[in-house]
Amino acid sequence: MISLFLMFSMVLSPVQESKTLTPPPLFRLIRLTAHADTSEIERVCIALDASGSYRLEQRKESDITKSSRVYEGQVTAEEMAAFHAIIDSPSFKALTFEMPKQRALTMRAIEEIAIGIQDADRRQLLTVMNYYGVHEGSNNRNITDDHARELRPVIDWVSKSIEKRKVNLVKDSQPVCPPLRQ
């Protein structure tokens, strides 16, 4: 195993891309995962606007290959109502954690999940870091961010309502999702 700290730090500050999503989406999720055993970096970016239209971008890069896929679609009115029930709850609106401290650890994989919500009433940025296969003596363990549990309802909604669909592949489209922290 190698330390992913330096490799992942480079990915956390992606270069601003020339295209941007206009108008700003209601919700964005960016998940970066770096795998030490394969030297692969995965980037998933999801943008959802107030009407329920979404764009899902998946990019994988390794020393050998690069690939990307872009999907666009529409969630149902019922799914949007369930989404708003999560993000508009007083407990979710009260969340205020931002970028956790990075750790210099030897591990198999590291994952950063950043969620941004922007509407007329608020601009909210929530970020968690999770570490997988952390080497400690003769044992390996996972270290999950203390706040990961608070984001679980919205991450589960995204997985079920957007990521598992993968309909409407946009051919010859390049990922354009800019970073949440600019």
Side-chain angles (χ1 to χ4, degrees):
M1 281 186 282
I2 61 170
S3 174
L4 289 176
F5 180 72
L6 291 176
M7 180 172 77
F8 200 65
S9 295
M10 295 184 304
V11 182
L12 292 177
S13 302
V15 176
Q16 176 68 36
E17 312 233 3
S18 59
K19 297 179 185 177
T20 58
L21 301 171
T22 310
L26 164 68
F27 170 84
R28 282 200 321 184
L29 178 142
I30 297 175
R31 181 176 53 237
L32 297 168
T33 308
H35 302 274
D37 50 351
T38 62
S39 298
E40 183 177 80
I41 298 173
E42 298 175 61
R43 183 173 195 255
V44 173
C45 179
I46 297 169
L48 174 70
D49 71 20
S51 73
S53 294
Y54 68 84
R55 181 177 173 96
L56 164 62
E57 301 176 355
Q58 299 173 316
R59 191 178 340 182
K60 290 185 181 183
E61 295 181 28
S62 71
D63 295 336
I64 302 169
T65 63
K66 286 184 181 182
S67 67
S68 64
R69 291 181 182 248
V70 176
Y71 300 89
E72 292 179 345
Q74 180 80 30
V75 298
T76 66
E78 294 82 22
E79 289 170 320
M80 277 304 283
F83 177 72
H84 275 287
I86 296 167
I87 69 163
D88 293 339
S89 70
S91 60
F92 194 90
K93 282 185 170 184
L95 298 176
T96 59
F97 51 90
E98 287 202 22
M99 187 65 181
K101 292 180 182 177
Q102 294 179 0
R103 301 177 182 190
L105 300 169
T106 302
M107 67 201 83
R108 285 197 188 108
I110 183 173
E111 171 185 66
E112 176 192 26
I113 300 173
I115 291 177
I117 298 172
Q118 183 171 346
D119 60 19
D121 301 330
R122 68 180 160 170
R123 185 167 195 269
Q124 192 173 16
L125 175 62
L126 308 168
T127 305
V128 296
M129 298 284 284
N130 298 311
Y131 304 88
Y132 302 102
V134 176
H135 185 67
E136 291 183 333
S138 61
N139 298 319
N140 287 327
R141 68 184 188 106
N142 297 336
I143 300 174
T144 56
D145 191 290
D146 294 339
H147 298 290
R149 150 180 75 257
E150 296 168 289
L151 295 182
R152 180 58 41 206
V154 79
I155 291 169
D156 288 347
W157 182 90
V158 166
S159 175
K160 183 180 97 180
S161 300
I162 295 176
E163 286 186 289
K164 289 188 179 174
R165 262 196 191 130
K166 290 189 180 174
V167 295
N168 300 332
L169 177 65
V170 181
K171 294 190 186 247
D172 301 321
S173 181
Q174 294 298 312
V176 295
C177 190
L180 287 171
R181 290 181 300 281
Q182 298 181 10

